[in-house]
Amino acid sequence: MTRGSTLSAHPLSRSTGRLAIPAQTRTSPASLPELLDGFNALPADEASHRLLGCLRNPRWARRIADHRPYPTVEALLAASDEAAYDLTAADLAEALAGETLPPLPDDAYEAAHMALGAAHAAYEARFGHAFVIHLGGISAREALDRTLEAIRSRLANDPDDERIIAWEELRRLARQRLPTLLADTGR
């Protein structure tokens, strides 16, 4: 799969100002089961549409939506993992095509913008898709360094090995995004 550069579409602007680590939900774990009920009750098309915000592949989203109701959040997360493990190469390419590079923090230097843009351009030229990384548990202060370090390190990977790493990062991102989806569904 070869795409043109997506750098212009990426939120690398100084005005957006935050390194977008996938949103952590502010919902307490105790309230997630209540929110799961709201997700389980959504019409299938709406559930599939909302799930695309977690992992941008319609087959994955339909599979998760079609297997509702989930008795527990853990069951939903396990189903997400299983569906992600079953992604085909085409599914993975489609999910990766929907990902974007996160924006930088407000206080990032011009050099940081240039370094991240250049590293991502090199990554995308080599692998044909946006760089994805799960940064759960990493502070916003460390995220830029970790992202740059990971891009530079992963540039040395064989394309087949990198596809496996990118797939695993997408699976982890979907798991991280699901509680936010549940919180948004409950509103």
Side-chain angles (χ1 to χ4, degrees):
M1 172 186 88
T2 305
R3 296 187 305 143
S5 175
T6 59
L7 286 178
S8 61
H10 289 244
L12 276 173
S13 71
R14 287 140 196 88
S15 62
T16 56
R18 298 193 201 301
L19 184 61
I21 300 169
Q24 295 286 340
T25 182
R26 289 177 174 40
T27 306
S28 70
S31 66
L32 285 176
E34 298 163 10
L35 299 175
L36 183 61
D37 292 340
F39 172 72
N40 282 334
L42 287 174
D45 288 344
E46 184 177 348
S48 291
H49 178 73
R50 289 182 182 213
L51 284 160
L52 289 173
C54 297
L55 195 147
R56 289 152 184 92
N57 177 264
R59 191 168 79 88
W60 176 89
R62 278 192 309 275
R63 184 168 171 189
I64 301 302
D66 289 348
H67 284 88
R68 292 171 309 141
Y70 293 99
T72 65
V73 174
E74 293 76 20
L76 171 62
L77 294 174
S80 171
D81 285 347
E82 183 179 334
Y85 289 132
D86 291 341
L87 292 177
T88 65
D91 292 331
L92 177 61
E94 185 174 19
L96 287 168
E99 292 292 326
T100 59
L101 192 63
L104 292 169
D106 286 333
D107 59 353
Y109 293 104
E110 183 72 24
H113 287 274
M114 290 174 44
L116 187 57
H120 186 262
Y123 179 92
E124 195 170 63
R126 175 152 168 73
F127 298 113
H129 58 79
F131 176 79
V132 291
I133 186 169
H134 174 266
L135 292 169
I138 303 299
S139 73
R141 184 180 270 310
E142 296 176 61
L144 175 60
D145 290 338
R146 291 283 181 98
T147 301
L148 282 169
E149 177 185 323
I151 290 175
R152 290 176 180 144
S153 170
R154 288 168 52 184
L155 274 169
N157 289 342
D158 172 78
D160 290 334
D161 292 339
E162 181 57 25
R163 213 172 1 268
I164 292 167
I165 293 168
W167 161 80
E168 178 63 20
E169 294 297 310
L170 282 174
R171 184 193 65 77
R172 293 173 67 202
L173 285 169
R175 271 185 82 87
Q176 182 176 338
R177 292 169 177 163
L178 278 166
T180 301
L181 171 106
L182 293 179
D184 291 345
T185 302
R187 290 187 185 129

